[in-house]
Amino acid sequence: MGTTTTSALRTSRVAALLTRLVTLLGLVALGVLGPATAHAQSSPGALATGIHISDGRLVEGNGNDFIMRGVNHAHTWYPGETQSLADVKALGANTVRVVLSNGHRWTKNSAADVAAVVSQCKANRLICVLEVHDTTGYGEDAAAGTLDQAADYWIGLKDVLAGEENYVIVNIGNEPWGNTNPAGWTDPTIAAIKKLRNAGFEHTIMVDAPNWGQDWQGVMRANAQAVYDADTTGNLIFSIHMYSVYDTAQEITDYLNAFVNAGLPILIGEFGGPPDQWGDPDEDTMMAAAQQLRLGYLAWSWSGNTDPILDLAIGFDPSRLSSWGQRIFNGANGIAQTSREATVFGGGNPGDTQAPTAPGTPTASAVTATSLSLTWTAATDNVGVTGYDVVRVSGGSETTVAASTTNTVAVTGLTADTTYTFAVYARDAAGNRSARSATVNVTTDEGGSTPGVGCSVGYRIVGEWPGGFQGEITIRNTGTTAISGWTLAFAFANGQTVTNMWGGTPTQNGGAVRVTPASYTSTIPAAGSVTVGFTGSKGATNTAPTAFSLNGSTCATT
């Protein structure tokens, strides 16, 4: 994905969707990992310098699991936006994947520039994944470079990267093969890996899939063992990019589990959530599966996309997160809830293996039809408790519903007149997790989910161009009770038409527009807000709507 690759990726998605039946059959045929390739071989002589692979897992030099929770940042196109590293860290990320160029297609990032990026990643306590973007769509996009050229670029940076194995992962090339003969991906990938190892690189190496990173024909999945075995150090991780091809839970879980079950390391190196005309990626399953399987994910992308629906922050401004950004940073299984800082930065004591004590039994207060507050006696730890995970217990299963750095939390999005069972875990900076607290049963109040609704709506135009524009609508709950499920209504006066929306689903009849929420914007906490973004078509005049209603109630405008 990237600033100038969106149209190519869209072309690949069209091909993917047109051949979905072939895809599904092909994945079954190609993706079966037989007994002879049932698990990744251990490498007794594997280098354990810095971040490395152990038993199919990405770990730090001290052996602690490291699970990437972060974003992609388009540095090569926006070299002046280095503040972005501090901004994504402040929002909780532990990793940033940095777009670089080897000069084949875009302006080459110099050794001094790369050294500065690595230094800033370290200063902001972020693990740095560096990737060459010029390889994007090779074989289908005539402008793309080869993996061999990318490997030469990395070798030219060896003096800069040597000694940074604790902090840097080398992603050889972004989406290094298109949809044309994707089977051609395997041999050049193996050759590039061997070239870097022969040059003395000891870093963990990351490789992207063909089919513009999405591997919808299963080539990487079928050949993963052979590619992994080509790295004599065993320090190789596979990266799958998940966009519109991955629009069902089954496709996502099948793909990730194929690698996990084979003992082969994998992460979601890019993914998107907002729907488009090629499909609606199932980002909820991507994030939930990554959390369940303890795999990394890196969302695309911080800011600056030519297609702004994928901007996590509007205009590189961390105070203006889009709905997509809110989903990634603050949603269920999001970065704020699940990210743990690498222990190499002092985020944990490498020798700390002692878990915190179990928190006290939670007690409920401020119970409404759709929300409640939980409080518990704090846990203790030999080093220090850094946070708590609140889970809903149902039979033998658990679902994380909230996270907190203190011993109290608000739980929203509940159903009226329903009994829930909650419990709490404590965790420390080293990633040790306590035993579960005792449970508490709470029944929400009767009477529906939106008593006493109050609302205000802010509408603004983010940008305009001939014939089109980008808008943003912020819906604020000014009432005292969470709103679960909503319909927003408004009307355009000048013939504007919504062409694409993220954070909600529009229906339009003439100038009248009705918007229902996406899964991650369906609940608006009391005194909280959600944001819906969209692109639209327009004529010469583009007057903003002046009246909005939420669930039939008139909202104030701001």
Side-chain angles (χ1 to χ4, degrees), residues 48-52 59-61 127 158 161-169 197 200-204 344:
T49 302
I51 296 176
H52 62 284
V59 300
E60 294 188 68
I127 296 301
K158 185 180 177 184
L161 300 178
E164 303 293 352
E165 293 84 358
N166 276 309
Y167 309 98
V168 172
I169 292 172
R197 292 305 184 208
F201 274 76
E202 299 181 359
H203 305 71
T204 289
V344 71

Side-chain angles (χ1 to χ4, degrees), residues 205-467:
I205 291 174
M206 182 184 297
V207 294
D208 284 8
N211 295 128
W212 301 87
Q214 298 196 79
D215 199 29
W216 58 270
Q217 290 177 293
V219 171
M220 185 171 82
R221 179 172 169 176
N223 293 281
Q225 188 70 54
V227 173
Y228 184 85
D229 291 343
D231 184 354
T232 56
T233 75
N235 295 322
L236 183 78
I237 188 167
F238 296 93
S239 174
I240 182 68
H241 293 184
M242 290 185 165
Y243 292 98
S244 300
V245 168
Y246 293 91
D247 55 3
T248 69
Q250 192 70 46
E251 289 168 322
I252 295 161
T253 56
D254 280 356
Y255 195 93
L256 296 177
N257 276 299
F259 281 78
V260 171
N261 293 339
L264 292 165
I266 190 169
L267 82 155
I268 306 173
E270 285 186 22
F271 68 107
D276 56 31
Q277 59 265 51
W278 294 275
D280 185 359
D282 185 359
E283 71 278 10
D284 291 341
T285 296
M286 295 176 202
M287 296 168 72
Q291 182 64 11
Q292 178 188 9
L293 297 171
R294 296 176 61 77
L295 304 178
Y297 67 64
L298 303 171
W300 187 276
S301 80
W302 177 240
S303 199
N305 289 282
T306 49
D307 189 344
I309 66 169
L310 288 172
D311 279 359
L312 297 162
I314 306 301
F316 294 93
D317 184 350
S319 69
R320 296 167 58 208
L321 293 182
S322 66
S323 295
W324 174 225
Q326 291 287 359
R327 174 70 187 92
I328 288 298
F329 286 104
N330 301 318
N333 299 306
I335 287 173
Q337 185 181 98
T338 65
S339 177
R340 307 288 180 268
E341 185 178 86
T343 61
V344 71
F345 297 118
N349 183 342
D352 180 13
T353 59
Q354 181 175 324
T357 62
T361 305
T363 59
S365 61
V367 179
T368 72
T370 60
S371 65
L372 55 86
S373 293
L374 293 174
T375 304
W376 55 90
T377 301
T380 60
D381 184 66
N382 63 318
V383 176
V385 174
T386 58
Y388 297 90
D389 299 317
V390 177
V391 296
R392 177 186 174 188
V393 182
S394 179
S397 65
E398 297 178 350
T399 304
T400 302
V401 295
S404 177
T405 56
T406 66
N407 64 326
T408 186
V409 74
V411 180
T412 61
L414 306 178
T415 301
D417 196 22
T418 302
T419 300
Y420 294 90
T421 301
F422 297 104
V424 185
Y425 291 92
R427 48 183 160 75
D428 63 20
N432 300 308
R433 202 182 196 202
S434 73
R436 195 176 78 184
S437 73
T439 60
V440 61
N441 295 324
V442 188
T443 302
T444 52
D445 288 346
E446 300 179 2
S449 60
T450 58
V453 167
C455 56
S456 67
V457 174
Y459 179 97
R460 73 185 188 95
I461 295 172
V462 177
E464 291 188 80
W465 53 92

Side-chain angles (χ1 to χ4, degrees), residues 525-552:
S529 66
V530 297
T531 300
V532 175
F534 68 94
T535 53
S537 62
K538 69 176 183 67
T541 306
N542 188 20
T543 305
T546 57
F548 299 86
S549 66
L550 192 71
N551 293 346

Side-chain angles (χ1 to χ4, degrees), residues 50-54 57-66 204:
I51 296 176
H52 62 284
I53 304 298
S54 177
R57 307 278 313 160
L58 185 68
V59 300
E60 294 188 68
N62 57 27
N64 283 15
D65 252 19
F66 182 67
T204 289

Side-chain angles (χ1 to χ4, degrees), residues 493-509:
N494 308 123
Q496 300 98 319
T497 301
V498 176
T499 56
N500 190 42
M501 180 172 283
W502 52 101
T505 301
T507 57
Q508 186 166 352
N509 184 10

Side-chain angles (χ1 to χ4, degrees), residues 1-17 105 133 136-138 140-141 174-175 177-179 209-216 241-246 270-274 276-279 281 300 305-307 309-310:
M1 198 65 181
T3 299
T4 62
T5 62
T6 304
S7 61
L9 179 56
R10 285 177 172 172
T11 300
S12 75
R13 292 178 185 171
V14 171
L17 293 172
R105 187 168 184 176
H133 215 76
T136 305
Y138 179 79
E140 185 173 347
D141 188 334
N174 181 68
E175 301 177 2
W177 212 276
N179 291 325
N211 295 128
W212 301 87
Q214 298 196 79
D215 199 29
W216 58 270
H241 293 184
M242 290 185 165
Y243 292 98
S244 300
V245 168
Y246 293 91
E270 285 186 22
F271 68 107
D276 56 31
Q277 59 265 51
W278 294 275
W300 187 276
N305 289 282
T306 49
D307 189 344
I309 66 169
L310 288 172

